[in-house]
């Protein structure tokens, strides 16, 4: 069957309408704070809106059904379209005049990576800062999941898009109709964002900072309005604890949040992935806290007021915050963990490959994949002793089909190969070994802070232009979980069959 390009471009038009609308919202913020770039932001938003309207009118007579190939193309190229159009406010306002760097910043936003090339964030106009955080918020739950919530208005079925977009090995549906699923997910997403905004504001953040950090937290993005990220509030532990709570929630499966809000607490609490996600965080935090307390000098690695409530509390708080930040791939920092000890540097590097839960906004491999891989590995010992026995991998007391296990094995191998190739790519630009592997793990896992020259307290401004393009590609590859992007690069994808 031939590819229906009309429906693809029609969808691109819809995405541009979303983008332009959020840009106009940033214009309103710019107007309120009188930051001097209101007109430029307005023109950016208007231009994107007009292009979106033009594309939708041009392709209004299209076939309503979308097959899998078209779904993959809409998701992958739709993300590229959003990144290109989303770079416009940076360039028009001259906050980031370079096209390459503007694309990098925008892709980092939409993929919720949180890596930045901005050297002084606090001088950036508030309208642009709000737009920067908005790219996180849009990308967090997924541009496509947002869009399919209104597809009934267009008469287009959206299941193919949800399957390609939803993070994790499978897409749990809350309701038989996919559009209702999207609406419920976004309602929870918006509710968490609003709740965190109120709590941060009450705890002492300005309302503007609270909104921006709430959007960055719930999307597990990591963009901050301060040069020192959350370390700016090291003298206010309450703010950091609030962010920790919402980082944890953002790293859990949003379907479980839905069950909890419906009163089905047992169904949520008995989820095997949630249990191990919690156990991993507690275990990692204990290891990190003990190491910090006995071996690290917090005064060297933290920025201002690291020990407000004493060394014991400071060790636990910084350990828990950084573990949550890396595991959920949020990327906020309260301290430079690479200065704690070499052991913890390697420890946090390893956590970059864990990721949060499937169905969350976090990046990485995801906890459920690790669980199934480990379970299958142990079963291989039994299979060696009992070759004729039927020993299925079980998850949440149910047997996992063999095809799912093979898919996860394939994903993990492909992920590690992508990491190796990614690191080789960065080393090609004369970036040292430690920085190259850190950049590859961070970009692919959508984490933000890396290692070496691009560690937690540094930014990506020193990254060469071609390396910025490479990092942007790895961010997209990781955010769309490899297959969605790589399948488009295969010859058989384009054959008219």
């Amino acid at each position: 069957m031939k590819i229906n390009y009309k429906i693809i471009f029609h969808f691109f038009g819809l995405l541009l309408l979303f983008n332009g609308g959020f840009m106009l919202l940033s214009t309103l913020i710019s107007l309120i704070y009188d930051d001097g770039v209101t007109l430029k932001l307005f023109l950016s938003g208007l231009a994107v809106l007009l292009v979106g309207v033009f594309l939708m009118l041009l392709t209004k007579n299209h076939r309503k059904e979308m097959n899998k190939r078209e779904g993959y193309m809409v998701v992958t190229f739709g993300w590229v379209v959003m990144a290109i159009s989303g770079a416009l406010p940076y360039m028009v306002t001259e906050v980031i005049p370079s096209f390459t760097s503007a694309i990098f910043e925008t892709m980092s936003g939409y993929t919720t990576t949180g890596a930045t090339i901005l050297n002084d964030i606090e001088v950036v106009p508030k309208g642009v800062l709000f737009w920067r955080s908005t790219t996180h918020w849009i990308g967090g739950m997924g541009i496509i999941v947002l869009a399919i919530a209104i597809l009934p208005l267009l008469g287009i079925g959206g299941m193919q898009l949800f399957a390609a977009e939803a993070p994790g090995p499978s897409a749990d549906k809350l309701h038989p109709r996919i559009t209702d699923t999207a609406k419920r997910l976004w309602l929870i997403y918006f509710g968490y964002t609003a709740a965190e905004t109120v709590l941060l504001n009450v705890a002492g953040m300005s309302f503007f900072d609270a909104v921006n950090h709430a959007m960055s937290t719930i999307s597990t993005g990591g963009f901050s309005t301060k040069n020192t990220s959350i370390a700016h509030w090291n003298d206010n532990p309450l703010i950091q604890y609030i962010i920790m709570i919402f980082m944890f929630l953002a790293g859990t499966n949003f379907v479980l949040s839905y069950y909890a809000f419906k009163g089905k607490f047992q169904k949520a609490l008995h989820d095997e992935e949630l249990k191990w996600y919690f156990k991993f965080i507690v275990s990692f935090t204990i290891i990190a806290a003990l190491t910090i307390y006995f071996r690290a000098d917090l005064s060297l690695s933290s920025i201002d007021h690291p020990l407000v409530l004493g060394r014991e509390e400071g060790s636990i708080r910084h350990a828990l915050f950084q573990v949550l930040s890396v595991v959920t791939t949020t990327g906020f920092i309260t301290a430079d963990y690479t200065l704690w000890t070499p052991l913890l540097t390697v420890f946090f590097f390893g956590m970059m490959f864990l990721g949060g839960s499937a169905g969350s906004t976090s990046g990485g491999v995801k906890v459920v994949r690790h669980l199934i891989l480990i379970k299958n590995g142990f079963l291989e010992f039994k299979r060696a002793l009992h070759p004729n026995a039927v020993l299925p991998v079980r998850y949440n007391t149910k047997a996992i089909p063999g095809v799912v296990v093979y898919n996860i094995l394939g994903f993990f191998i492909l992920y590690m190969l992508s990491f190796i190739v990614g690191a080789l790519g960065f080393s090609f630009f004369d970036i040292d070994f430690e920085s190259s592997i850190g950049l590859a793990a961070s970009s692919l896992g959508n984490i933000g802070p890396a290692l070496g020259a691009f560690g937690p307290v540094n930014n990506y401004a020193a990254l060469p232009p071609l390396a910025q393009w490479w990092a942007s590609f790895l961010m997209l590859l990781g955010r769309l979980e490899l297959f969605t992007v790589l399948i488009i690069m295969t010859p058989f994808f384009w054959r008219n069959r």
Side-chain angles (χ1 to χ4, degrees):
M1 184 182 291
K2 289 185 178 182
I3 295 172
N4 181 9
Y5 287 102
K6 274 193 173 184
I7 195 172
I8 293 170
F9 280 95
H10 192 81
F11 208 92
F12 289 168
L14 178 63
L15 293 177
L16 289 174
L17 287 182
F18 276 123
N19 231 13
F22 279 110
M23 283 181 198
L24 293 182
L25 181 59
S26 300
T27 302
L28 180 61
I29 301 299
S30 176
L31 181 65
I32 291 170
Y33 286 96
D34 192 22
D35 60 8
V37 296
T38 304
L39 180 60
K40 291 179 179 179
L41 280 176
F42 174 76
L43 292 175
S44 298
L46 184 62
V48 172
L49 272 174
L50 289 175
V51 173
V53 170
F54 174 75
L55 279 178
M56 293 192 76
L57 290 176
L58 193 67
T59 58
K60 62 181 179 180
N61 297 318
H62 60 272
R63 189 181 75 238
K64 301 298 183 182
E65 289 301 315
M66 181 181 292
N67 60 38
K68 275 194 171 183
R69 283 202 301 176
E70 291 153 2
Y72 283 122
M73 290 179 71
V74 164
V75 171
T76 303
F77 293 122
W79 217 278
V80 174
V81 167
M82 293 291 277
I84 292 172
S85 60
L88 198 59
Y90 295 122
M91 298 177 67
V92 171
T93 59
E94 298 182 347
V95 169
I96 307 176
S98 163
F99 177 69
T100 295
S101 295
I103 289 290
F104 175 89
E105 194 81 11
T106 313
M107 186 64 79
S108 178
Y110 282 125
T111 59
T112 71
T113 303
T116 183
I117 54 87
L118 293 172
N119 286 310
D120 191 351
I121 297 166
E122 293 175 31
V123 301
V124 175
K126 281 186 163 53
V128 179
L129 278 180
F130 185 81
W131 168 245
R132 185 167 171 263
S133 299
T134 301
T135 59
H136 266 347
W137 201 73
I138 298 171
M141 184 58 77
I143 303 165
I144 312 304
V145 178
L146 169 66
I148 61 177
I150 64 165
L151 280 179
L153 301 176
L154 307 176
I156 301 172
M159 189 59 219
Q160 292 89 344
L161 298 181
F162 189 73
E165 165 61 24
S170 64
D172 291 303
K173 289 201 292 182
L174 313 179
H175 191 275
R177 291 183 60 191
I178 187 63
T179 49
D180 289 333
T181 294
K183 289 173 185 176
R184 283 163 172 76
L185 290 175
W186 269 98
L187 184 62
I188 294 168
Y189 192 64
F190 179 82
Y192 278 157
T193 307
E196 187 182 359
T197 299
V198 172
L199 290 173
L200 288 175
N201 189 225
V202 171
M205 264 194 192
S206 71
F207 184 73
F208 178 79
D209 288 336
V211 171
N212 280 270
H213 285 92
M215 288 196 290
S216 291
T217 305
I218 300 305
S219 64
T220 64
F223 277 156
S224 175
T225 56
K226 303 297 180 184
N227 291 326
T228 53
S229 188
I230 309 304
H232 182 84
W233 291 278
N234 272 351
D235 60 342
N236 190 338
L238 179 58
I239 284 176
Q240 297 181 356
Y241 282 118
I242 290 169
I243 290 174
M244 282 186 243
I245 291 169
F246 284 95
M247 278 198 291
F248 178 85
L249 290 172
T252 61
N253 190 333
F254 273 66
V255 174
L256 299 183
S257 292
Y258 174 79
Y259 290 146
F261 288 129
K262 292 287 286 184
K264 300 177 182 178
F265 294 104
Q266 292 302 315
K267 188 168 184 177
L269 294 175
H270 288 165
D271 182 74
E272 196 171 350
E273 185 183 31
L274 179 63
K275 291 178 182 177
W276 280 102
Y277 169 67
F278 180 76
K279 289 176 183 177
F280 282 144
I281 289 171
V282 171
S283 302
F284 296 159
T285 300
I286 291 171
I287 294 168
L290 289 174
T291 308
I292 293 168
Y293 184 78
F294 289 107
R295 296 186 57 187
D297 187 348
L298 276 173
S299 64
L300 294 177
S301 60
S302 299
I303 307 161
D304 298 330
H305 314 291
L307 304 175
V308 176
L309 301 177
R311 181 172 176 78
E312 293 82 1
E313 187 276 339
S315 298
I316 295 171
R317 173 162 48 93
H318 286 296
L320 178 58
F321 191 98
Q322 294 310 144
V323 165
L324 279 167
S325 183
V326 174
V327 168
T328 63
T329 72
T330 305
F332 283 142
I333 63 164
T334 59
D336 186 354
Y337 53 78
T338 63
L339 295 180
W340 282 340
T341 65
L343 170 65
L344 286 183
T345 301
V346 176
F347 187 64
F348 277 96
F349 174 70
M351 279 192 282
M352 290 182 182
F353 295 90
L354 181 59
S357 304
S360 71
T361 58
S362 63
V365 176
K366 302 293 189 303
V367 172
V368 65
R369 287 195 179 101
H370 287 287
L371 283 179
I372 292 172
L373 283 172
I374 292 168
K375 286 186 174 189
N376 188 63
F378 277 112
L379 283 177
E380 285 300 324
F381 293 120
K382 291 185 179 180
R383 289 171 185 143
L385 291 173
H386 309 285
N388 295 322
V390 178
L391 300 168
V393 178
R394 293 189 176 276
Y395 174 71
N396 281 338
T397 70
K398 296 178 181 178
I400 302 294
V403 65
V404 174
V405 178
Y406 295 143
N407 178 278
I408 290 172
L409 285 168
F411 176 89
F412 189 78
I413 293 168
L414 200 56
Y415 193 94
M416 296 312 295
L417 283 173
S418 299
F419 162 68
I420 293 168
V421 173
L424 286 171
F426 285 119
S427 65
F428 179 79
F429 301 106
D430 294 326
I431 297 171
D432 65 272
F433 173 75
E434 183 182 2
S435 299
S436 291
I437 62 171
L439 283 167
S442 180
S443 299
L444 194 61
N446 306 132
I447 295 161
L451 300 177
F454 305 94
V457 296
N458 301 315
N459 60 25
Y460 284 56
L463 206 60
L466 286 177
Q468 290 183 27
W469 283 105
W470 182 238
S472 298
F473 171 72
L474 290 176
M475 290 176 201
L476 181 65
L477 186 64
R479 179 61 181 87
L480 298 183
E481 304 224 319
L482 309 184
F483 293 114
T484 306
V485 177
L486 294 179
I487 195 172
I488 290 177
M489 299 179 180
T490 58
F492 59 80
F493 179 86
W494 299 97
R495 291 175 189 156
N496 290 323
R497 289 183 181 176

